[in-house]
Amino acid sequence: MAESGPGFRMADFLGALSATVPVGGARPIVVRAAELETLPAGQVPNPTTLSIAGTLPTTTFEIFRQTIPPGESSDMQRHHHETVHFVISGEGHSEVEDDTATWAAGDFVYTPPWTWHRHWNDSAEHPVEFLTIENSRLLGLLGVGRRQSAGLVTVAQARAMFDEETR
């Protein structure tokens, strides 16, 4: 059975579930929007706002609400974890390595591990709102999490900056 991708079949996935899963006791069940913890601007190397649902008792993934102001972008970065952005509102485009893809409200944007990427708000008037889910906690638990930020640069500039470090 394929766990994801082209060979994935929901029937196979559901058939593999066990009927003996113990009830989980982790709490809180709900984190209210007002309870999200906004990361200080100095910890975010771009003009976006990141608010984390830090009190959710997740052990393998992290969840954020990300806001990109009108006409702005996230930083050019890469990391070992996978990320999925659900576009709550707005429209824009993402650069992932040498590919560019447009998106709008209701779309999902996938960022593969260790790929240079940057997300842009294409509106001059309205912010973009993302629900961002990443498996960074799992990789952190395994001791293999890594993230690099090149700032507000192009893919080519990021490659040049970090290739210099490895020479």
Side-chain angles (χ1 to χ4, degrees):
M1 173 181 86
E3 294 179 6
S4 65
F8 175 82
R9 289 180 8 104
M10 182 59 79
D12 293 340
F13 172 77
L14 293 173
L17 294 178
S18 170
T20 59
V21 176
V23 175
R27 299 290 186 272
I29 299 293
V30 175
V31 173
R32 308 276 177 218
E35 298 170 331
L36 296 177
E37 303 166 37
T38 301
L39 298 179
Q43 291 183 9
V44 180
N46 61 61
T48 70
T49 301
L50 285 173
S51 300
I52 185 170
T55 58
L56 282 176
T58 60
T59 55
T60 60
F61 66 92
E62 202 75 77
I63 188 164
F64 299 89
R65 182 171 185 136
Q66 183 174 11
T67 304
I68 302 177
E72 300 285 346
S73 75
S74 64
D75 57 316
M76 184 63 69
Q77 60 179 273
R78 65 182 177 181
H79 36 70
H80 284 172
H81 58 267
E82 294 177 284
T83 304
V84 173
H85 296 277
F86 173 73
V87 185
I88 299 168
S89 65
E91 57 186 41
H93 69 278
S94 294
E95 297 170 291
V96 180
E97 292 292 340
D98 296 319
D99 296 318
T100 300
T102 60
W103 40 259
D107 292 342
F108 291 86
V109 180
Y110 173 70
T111 304
W114 209 241
T115 56
W116 286 112
H117 62 279
R118 188 172 177 183
H119 309 291
W120 292 85
N121 180 348
D122 290 341
S123 172
E125 299 175 16
H126 305 286
V128 161
E129 296 283 341
F130 283 137
L131 173 66
T132 302
I133 303 167
E134 56 186 44
N135 65 338
S136 54
R137 284 192 181 185
L138 174 62
L139 297 185
L141 289 170
L142 297 172
V144 295
R146 184 172 182 205
R147 180 188 301 263
Q148 291 178 327
S149 173
L152 301 175
V153 302
T154 66
V155 170
Q157 290 169 319
R159 287 177 182 146
M161 288 169 62
F162 285 90
D163 285 348
E164 287 292 319
E165 287 182 6
T166 59
R167 288 183 192 156

